[in-house]
């Protein structure tokens, strides 16, 4: 996806210098910066959740990974619960 952003000249010059040292393009540098920012925000938001909310998210992830074509009978479930 292409998005145009306005960057002031001072910041653009700094990005060009940093990109030389990092041996990458300014575009790549900005992409990495945005990805890092988003990842840090997600981590921060996750860390601010309560334990119960974290458990709910974990359960949601597990449910999404489950094979929905498999069928488990009631008897199998009861046998597992009695163990």
């Amino acid at each position: 996806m292409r998005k145009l952003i306005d960057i002031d000249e001072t910041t653009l010059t700094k990005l060009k210098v940093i990109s030389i040292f990092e041996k990458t393009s300014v575009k790549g540098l900005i992409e990495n910066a945005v990805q890092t920012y988003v990842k840090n925000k997600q981590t921060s938001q996750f860390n601010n959740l309560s334990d119960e909310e974290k458990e709910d998210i974990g359960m949601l992830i597990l449910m999404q990974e489950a094979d929905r074509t498999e069928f488990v009978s009631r008897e199998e479930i009861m046998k597992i619960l009695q163990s």
Side-chain angles (χ1 to χ4, degrees), residues 58-76:
M59 183 61 79
L60 176 64
I61 292 169
L62 287 173
M63 289 170 61
Q64 289 174 342
E65 292 176 357
D67 184 1
R68 295 178 186 190
T69 60
E70 285 189 27
F71 178 78
V72 179
S73 68
R74 178 182 171 94
E75 290 77 28
E76 288 179 90

Side-chain angles (χ1 to χ4, degrees), residues 9-63:
E9 286 298 318
T10 305
T11 304
L12 183 58
T13 303
K14 291 176 182 179
L15 284 170
K16 287 178 181 178
V17 171
I18 293 170
S19 71
I20 292 169
F21 289 119
E22 295 292 321
K23 296 179 182 169
T24 186
S25 65
V26 172
K27 178 182 178 249
L29 191 64
I30 292 172
E31 288 171 348
N32 288 341
V34 170
Q35 288 173 355
T36 301
Y37 177 79
V38 169
K39 184 177 178 182
N40 287 341
K41 275 298 190 186
Q42 288 175 329
T43 302
S44 172
Q45 287 177 337
F46 184 76
N47 289 338
N48 290 334
L49 294 176
S50 70
D51 287 341
E52 184 176 339
E53 291 170 324
K54 288 178 186 177
E55 289 174 3
D56 290 344
I57 289 174
M59 183 61 79
L60 176 64
I61 292 169
L62 287 173
M63 289 170 61

